[in-house]
Amino acid sequence: MALDLADIQGNLLRGYRSANARHFALAVTEPNGGAEFIAGLVSGDEQRSPQITTAEEWEDKPHYTLNLGVTWTGLQALGVPAAVLADFPTAFQQGPAFRAQAPDPDYRDGVGLGDVGESAPSQWILGGEGTPAVHMLLSLYTDEHRVRRVDEISARLREIFAACDLTEISAHDANALPQGRVHFGYRDGIAQPRIAGAPSPSRPDMQPEADVGDFLLGRDYVNTYGGNFLGSVPPELGDNATYAAFRILRQDVHGFEAFLRDRGDLWQLDPELLAAKLLGRWRNGVPLTLSPDTATPDPAITKHRLNEFDYAPGVGHTTFYDDAEGRRCPIGSHIRRLNPRGALVMGKPHSRRLVRRGMPYGPPLAPGAPDDGVERGLMGLFVCGDLELQYEFILRVWANEDIATHGLRGTRDPLIGAQPSSGGHFVVRTDDSRDPIVLTGLPRLIQTRGSVYCLIPGIGGLRHLASLGNGGG
Ligand code: HEM
């Protein structure tokens, strides 16, 4: 099915690969102002306002890209009628601070979304219990090394916020690190779902295309379960929309490196191999499944082929290595837990995919440097058609529950899991007398600093929201 790229916001279907991002958290103070603001963003008139970027292909990369998400309380503030508001999925209505609550403090029934202790919503700087309600999240992406635009566009946007009676609650900056690395030193941004009908990245991938209905709301879009995620949301608002969880995650780089060194010494393991085992890829992005022993593999595994692998044989790759025991790539590693690919998994394989649009924030910590106490981490959008079935399931169950999947009992995601206070554990399989090595005392390496859930409406949906006030013209 041909997608109407001009009606879809660009950050779902394309990775802008920008170097800089600024996310503005905004509150609407009166509906007409909010409507006028949105009308300007989709007016096609650059003089009036910077414009929302769509998924249409470009020949030359623009000097900025811009996308808007609206929270459920934002839809309310913009004047969406109560009956329509009630049609949205419960997770989106409730938002991440509410959803984070642990159903059972003993973690017997799960850990909410892992946002407990220091990561609890009471501590958040955005979207938390003590912070103002966010209505809209406006994400501006630039390439400051190419053309310095962020200050100029921010100044322009701030004039418009003032003219439209919007309150800027906060702005959150992220800046890419060299070679697409994140603060633990790994290369990121390699694996993304290929969405049926969408312009596809050329990188080979052994996974099937994701159904368009897993990412886009719309009457005609079928999801992997055979239904569609539009539900009863009116098409004029929901068509070509998607959902996103914005999340700010502080990373304990010093704690991470110390863990690698200490456990490496203890078990006579190269800290680089240990880092690869925790993620499932070497820090340069080479997957363990393709290159279990070295980060500088066979030259045939080019940068282009870093996503061409599976954990088991499958359709189109029937003789592929079967890593059922996790000897190459641990079953508990970050990328294998959060996308088991063709490996055995509870439920339906390939059904819980996420588009990740994250970028590091804060300055890098030099290798071997002492802890400087400076905040650094990762922030961005996790995009999917259903927050509960995709994003929340991945975080709640695959990252944070000691699920019954073979090899995972009693463990949580080593990078992002809410480890028990006594420390988590992680299993590394070896082919020698040490097998299996059980690494204990794994600290919690990530602290949640804030989160909001957004609807990312299609362009028609934004025009519909603009028409609710008198700023639609
Ligand atoms: C600071 C926190 C995080 C760090 C440092 C991190 C780091 C990484 C890295 C380096 C990769 C491998 C690069 C790639 O395959 O493209 C990756 C993949 C991935 N991450 Fe994370 N991540 C973080 C948080 C999260 C969270 C919160 C989620 C889910 C809610 C998540 C879901 C995924 C998924 C689904 C993949 C792709 C797996 C695949 O398809 O093979 N990550 N992450």
Side-chain angles (χ1 to χ4, degrees), residues 201 403 413:
I403 35 184
D413 184 295

Side-chain angles (χ1 to χ4, degrees), residues 182-184 186-193 203 207 247 249-251 279 281 285 306-307 309 311 334-336 338-339 341 352-354 356 377-379 382 391-392 394-395 399 413 415-416 445-446:
V182 290
H183 280 297
F184 292 154
Y186 300 109
R187 222 183 121 201
D188 198 3
I190 304 165
Q192 297 284 9
R203 197 175 265 153
Q207 302 168 94
R247 208 160 166 82
L249 297 167
R250 180 180 188 153
Q251 293 175 245
L279 180 76
R281 293 182 185 272
L306 297 182
N307 209 29
F309 69 94
Y311 304 113
H334 179 70
I335 66 164
R336 187 161 174 178
L338 302 195
N339 181 9
R341 301 190 180 217
R352 310 207 191 252
R353 306 296 309 278
L354 279 180
R356 296 171 295 123
L378 189 75
M379 71 169 79
F382 294 93
Y391 169 77
E392 286 190 347
I394 288 176
L395 205 51
D413 184 295
L415 295 190
I416 66 165
L445 296 168
I446 300 294

Side-chain angles (χ1 to χ4, degrees), residues 371-426:
D371 196 1
D372 58 4
V374 175
E375 176 158 349
R376 52 178 61 81
L378 189 75
M379 71 169 79
L381 300 162
F382 294 93
V383 186
C384 57
D386 189 283
L387 287 163
E388 185 173 359
L389 288 177
Q390 289 161 268
Y391 169 77
E392 286 190 347
F393 184 93
I394 288 176
L395 205 51
R396 184 173 60 81
V397 181
W398 283 354
N400 278 310
E401 267 182 26
D402 59 351
I403 35 184
T405 298
H406 172 67
L408 292 187
R409 177 69 82 198
T411 67
R412 300 200 175 120
D413 184 295
L415 295 190
I416 66 165
Q419 307 299 349
S421 52
S422 53
H425 68 269
F426 184 79

Side-chain angles (χ1 to χ4, degrees), residues 327-362:
R327 288 184 183 277
R328 288 189 179 181
C329 180
I331 298 167
S333 63
H334 179 70
I335 66 164
R336 187 161 174 178
R337 280 186 89 114
L338 302 195
N339 181 9
R341 301 190 180 217
L344 265 187
V345 60
M346 285 192 297
K348 199 172 180 305
H350 306 294
S351 58
R352 310 207 191 252
R353 306 296 309 278
L354 279 180
V355 169
R356 296 171 295 123
R357 302 286 183 227
M359 202 186 278
Y361 70 94

Side-chain angles (χ1 to χ4, degrees), residues 86-398:
D87 284 335
F88 280 94
T90 310
F92 174 62
Q93 292 189 29
Q94 292 177 331
F98 184 91
R99 304 287 287 178
Q101 294 178 66
D104 171 354
D106 291 332
Y107 293 177
R108 254 185 237 114
D109 297 330
V111 292
L113 300 178
D115 293 327
V116 293
E118 277 193 319
S119 291
S122 57
Q123 311 294 315
W124 290 1
I125 56 167
L126 180 80
E129 285 159 9
T131 55
V134 177
H135 292 155
M136 297 194 277
L137 187 79
L138 185 69
S139 300
L140 168 66
Y141 302 90
T142 59
D143 286 296
E144 296 296 289
H145 59 285
R146 204 161 57 102
V147 186
R148 293 186 61 83
R149 291 304 301 274
V150 72
D151 290 335
E152 180 196 325
I153 300 172
S154 298
R156 177 88 189 91
L157 287 169
R158 284 177 169 134
E159 283 168 17
I160 300 171
F161 299 161
C164 295
D165 288 328
L166 300 182
T167 305
E168 181 181 328
I169 297 168
S170 49
H172 305 270
D173 283 3
N175 300 298
L177 297 175
Q179 302 167 329
R181 304 269 176 155
V182 290
H183 280 297
F184 292 154
Y186 300 109
R187 222 183 121 201
D188 198 3
I190 304 165
Q192 297 284 9
R194 291 171 302 134
I195 302 173
S200 178
S202 51
R203 197 175 265 153
D205 184 347
M206 288 184 178
Q207 302 168 94
E209 283 190 325
D211 292 303
V212 64
D214 287 350
F215 288 94
L216 278 176
L217 312 190
R219 284 159 291 185
D220 303 327
Y221 299 146
V222 179
N223 62 31
T224 187
Y225 304 102
N228 78 53
F229 289 137
L230 181 65
S232 342
V233 172
E236 59 274 22
L237 179 54
D239 268 354
N240 283 327
T242 187
Y243 292 100
F246 179 71
R247 208 160 166 82
I248 306 176
L249 297 167
R250 180 180 188 153
Q251 293 175 245
D252 178 2
V253 174
H254 188 261
F256 176 67
E257 296 296 337
F259 182 81
L260 296 181
R261 270 195 316 275
D262 294 354
R263 298 308 185 277
D265 282 353
L266 185 66
W267 289 98
Q268 300 295 294
L269 282 171
D270 174 4
E272 284 307 312
L273 176 64
L274 197 45
K277 293 286 183 187
L278 296 179
L279 180 76
R281 293 182 185 272
W282 297 89
R283 291 210 242 205
N284 64 4
V286 171
L288 277 175
T289 304
L290 296 183
S291 181
D293 303 317
T294 169
T296 44
D298 180 332
I301 308 173
T302 56
K303 195 173 152 195
H304 184 62
R305 299 184 55 194
L306 297 182
N307 209 29
E308 196 182 16
F309 69 94
D310 202 342
Y311 304 113
V315 178
H317 50 280
T318 47
T319 57
F320 197 80
Y321 176 75
D322 189 347
D323 197 14
E325 298 296 323
R327 288 184 183 277
R328 288 189 179 181
C329 180
I331 298 167
S333 63
H334 179 70
I335 66 164
R336 187 161 174 178
R337 280 186 89 114
L338 302 195
N339 181 9
R341 301 190 180 217
L344 265 187
V345 60
M346 285 192 297
K348 199 172 180 305
H350 306 294
S351 58
R352 310 207 191 252
R353 306 296 309 278
L354 279 180
V355 169
R356 296 171 295 123
R357 302 286 183 227
M359 202 186 278
Y361 70 94
L365 184 69
D371 196 1
D372 58 4
V374 175
E375 176 158 349
R376 52 178 61 81
L378 189 75
M379 71 169 79
L381 300 162
F382 294 93
V383 186
C384 57
D386 189 283
L387 287 163
E388 185 173 359
L389 288 177
Q390 289 161 268
Y391 169 77
E392 286 190 347
F393 184 93
I394 288 176
L395 205 51
R396 184 173 60 81
V397 181
W398 283 354

